[in-house]
Amino acid sequence: MRVDRRRRGAAAIEFVLWLNALFLLVSGLVDWATYMSSRLAVTRAAMDGCRIGSAVFEPASMTPGTLSTPLAEDRALEVLESLGVVCDLSDGCDIEATFCLAGSGGDVCGPVAPPFDALVVEVTVEYDPMFGWAATPDVLHESFMMAVENQREPAGTP
């Protein structure tokens, strides 16, 4: 079998040209996949922290949120770490649980006050892409609200 001398090495050159486009595509896919995985982990942490915190029984004599908010924050941090998201609370990561009394609105509880006692867990994590080719946000932020299990009697109720 005879090979034309002018065609020698053409396959290697074509491979190198396609390799750049293939690298861009694969690195973009990896960036997008890690972003979606991190976003899902942050969402899961907010949901699970809220679920654990809202199930805590707090007697009526206790200040609302005394037991539930620290437990919710600890659980959210635990979920983040178990899912492989690095969360350094002193740098770029924030987990905050807030107890919302029935009828009290505000920045965290929402513009329309919930008609029930609720717990809100907000998780904010800085996101650092592997390659940086895919357009992804720098910060992942999720917020989740859930009604607490033991509702208090509204003020002024006999």
Side-chain angles (χ1 to χ4, degrees):
M1 184 163 132
R2 201 170 157 212
V3 177
D4 188 8
R5 289 182 186 250
R6 292 175 289 158
R7 295 284 300 161
R8 201 179 295 166
I13 292 171
E14 289 174 3
F15 175 71
V16 168
L17 291 173
W18 276 106
L19 192 61
N20 292 330
L22 187 62
F23 174 74
L24 285 173
L25 179 69
V26 170
S27 63
L29 266 155
V30 167
D31 268 354
W32 193 251
T34 56
Y35 162 72
M36 292 305 286
S37 176
S38 296
R39 182 171 177 184
L40 184 63
V42 169
T43 302
R44 180 37 119 190
M47 290 172 62
D48 207 43
C50 200
R51 181 184 65 82
I52 292 294
S54 66
V56 174
F57 176 77
E58 293 180 333
S61 61
M62 187 176 282
T63 305
T66 304
L67 298 175
S68 61
T69 54
L71 188 62
E73 291 170 353
D74 290 345
R75 179 60 183 165
L77 181 61
E78 183 182 314
V79 169
L80 280 177
E81 290 173 351
S82 71
L83 293 175
V85 176
V86 178
C87 183
D88 183 7
L89 294 175
S90 63
D91 182 40
C93 180
D94 185 36
I95 300 172
E96 188 174 348
T98 307
F99 195 92
C100 299
L101 291 170
S104 65
D107 292 340
V108 176
C109 299
V112 178
F116 46 80
D117 290 344
L119 184 68
V120 177
V121 175
E122 290 183 289
V123 179
T124 305
V125 177
E126 285 186 4
Y127 174 71
D128 217 9
M130 293 177 91
F131 298 103
W133 296 113
T136 56
D138 295 336
V139 176
L140 302 173
H141 176 80
E142 289 295 331
S143 177
F144 196 79
M145 177 188 281
M146 186 176 284
V148 295
E149 288 204 23
N150 64 315
Q151 296 290 314
R152 297 169 187 270
E153 293 295 324
T157 303

